Amino acid sequence: QVQLVQSGGGSVQAGGSLTLACVPSIAVSNGMAWFRQAPGKEREGVAAFTSFGTTPYADSVKGRFSIIKDTLANTLYLRMNNLKPEDTAVYYCAYGTWVTRGLVADQYRDWGQGTQVTVSS
């Protein structure tokens, strides 16, 4: 099992920026993603590196969020710009051994502890 340790998050006003970080217990690789879950809603895929190296994004975050794989720091980042109140959620890092559909939760085996992001209007 791969351990995923998250950091970052917090509270910000609408229009602001935050960066989330995820350090895996293995070398950072394809097959990693960010998901989020808002209260009363299902967990949704935000951005991913599939096992093919493609990077799908949820339509709601395209142009605002970037998923970054830093091999030197061995860290997966989610850079979030122009945040909106509807981005408020607990964000999770995820790892899967073979990921073909990057934004689908059941493609992933291991999950980080989650980190809260709150965006106020």
Side-chain angles (χ1 to χ4, degrees):
Q1 190 161 355
V2 174
Q3 306 300 315
L4 302 167
V5 179
Q6 297 179 221
S7 60
S11 298
V12 66
Q13 289 192 324
S17 298
L18 285 172
T19 298
L20 306 181
C22 172
V23 179
S25 59
I26 59 171
V28 69
S29 64
N30 289 337
M32 295 187 70
W34 290 97
F35 284 74
R36 67 185 180 186
Q37 188 165 18
K41 294 189 176 182
E42 292 187 356
R43 191 169 296 190
E44 65 167 341
V46 175
F49 283 101
T50 70
S51 295
F52 302 119
T54 58
T55 51
Y57 288 86
D59 287 343
S60 59
V61 307
K62 284 180 181 176
R64 301 189 297 122
F65 290 14
S66 297
I67 188 170
I68 300 163
K69 187 174 46 172
D70 187 332
T71 55
L72 288 177
N74 199 48
T75 301
L76 183 75
Y77 296 101
L78 183 68
R79 177 67 178 170
M80 305 182 291
N81 295 322
N82 189 23
L83 282 159
K84 303 177 180 181
E86 52 264 42
D87 295 318
T88 295
V90 177
Y91 283 71
Y92 297 90
C93 176
Y95 169 80
T97 57
W98 182 247
V99 175
T100 57
R101 297 175 295 165
L103 302 182
V104 176
D106 66 10
Q107 296 271 294
Y108 298 89
R109 183 189 69 188
D110 304 306
W111 295 84
Q113 79 274 21
T115 185
Q116 178 71 46
V117 171
T118 302
V119 184
S120 58
S121 58

